[in-house]
Amino acid sequence: MIIKMKQYTSVQLNLLVIVRVLIGWHFLYEGVVKYINKSWTAAGFLNNAEGWFAPLFKTMGENTSLLGLIDHLNVAFQIIVGLCLILGLFTKINAWIGILLLSMYYLALPPFPGLSTPPGTGSYLIVDRNLIEIFTLALMIVFPTSHIIGLDRFVSKLKRQKERVS
């Protein structure tokens, strides 16, 4: 199997890696803070959902057994996605998981005209930090760097060695 490597200038590569690490840090920090705060729950966020998908998110927030699962999965995936983006490990799948998480956050409280803005989040119209991170993660999928700087480099080498042996 021939893997086509993308060629970047050193400036492009460094900026792409920095953005990957910054978004990874954001995910990791959000997950760790929620993990440390044992009273944290997504209930308030889900129950304050607005927009087209609000009934779905409010149903999730009102179901205590489902809410417990959502809380645990949210924290776990934020930490895993954050660590993997920082380390450049399984970056593509973690970028997709990050896009999924951010899309749910975006759809729960979309910054659309006529809908309220959660306190302390700033003022947005259609574009907010979630949407920006969604498209930045999409850029990471299209312009990967972890095969150059990251643990995916070693994963790729192991895969190629396994293919040669078999």
Side-chain angles (χ1 to χ4, degrees):
M1 181 174 159
I2 298 172
I3 298 174
K4 187 176 179 182
M5 299 286 191
K6 296 202 179 287
Q7 298 291 322
Y8 305 115
T9 67
S10 62
V11 172
Q12 291 169 329
L13 179 62
N14 288 327
L15 288 174
L16 287 168
V17 170
I18 289 169
V19 169
R20 187 188 81 209
V21 170
L22 291 175
I23 291 181
W25 173 256
H26 185 227
F27 269 96
L28 179 62
Y29 185 75
E30 289 276 343
V32 167
V33 167
K34 288 171 183 148
Y35 179 76
I36 291 170
N37 181 0
K38 296 299 180 193
S39 64
W40 177 85
T41 177
F45 180 79
L46 294 170
N47 290 327
N48 288 319
E50 292 192 31
W52 303 319
F53 298 99
L56 172 67
F57 289 114
K58 288 182 181 191
T59 300
M60 294 163 66
E62 292 167 357
N63 182 328
T64 53
S65 56
L66 182 60
L67 182 61
L69 178 66
I70 291 168
D71 288 345
H72 284 94
L73 289 176
N74 190 38
V75 170
F77 278 117
Q78 284 185 329
I79 291 172
I80 291 168
V81 167
L83 278 174
C84 287
L85 289 176
I86 290 169
L87 297 172
L89 180 63
F90 308 121
T91 305
K92 199 175 220 177
I93 186 69
N94 280 289
W96 279 113
I97 294 169
I99 287 172
L100 178 67
L101 288 171
L102 291 167
S103 297
M104 291 178 67
Y105 306 152
Y106 183 82
L107 292 173
L109 291 169
F112 294 162
L115 301 179
S116 64
T117 303
T121 60
S123 300
Y124 303 104
L125 178 63
I126 300 171
V127 177
D128 66 1
R129 66 183 178 151
N130 290 325
L131 191 62
I132 293 168
E133 283 192 355
I134 288 168
F135 280 91
T136 306
L137 286 172
L139 284 174
M140 284 185 219
I141 293 168
V142 175
F143 299 104
T145 58
S146 59
H147 65 288
I148 303 168
I149 298 176
L151 295 179
D152 282 341
R153 180 178 182 166
F154 301 107
V155 172
S156 296
K157 278 185 182 176
L158 288 174
K159 280 183 182 176
R160 280 181 281 186
Q161 286 175 349
K162 242 182 179 178
E163 288 173 1
R164 281 188 209 135
V165 172
S166 57

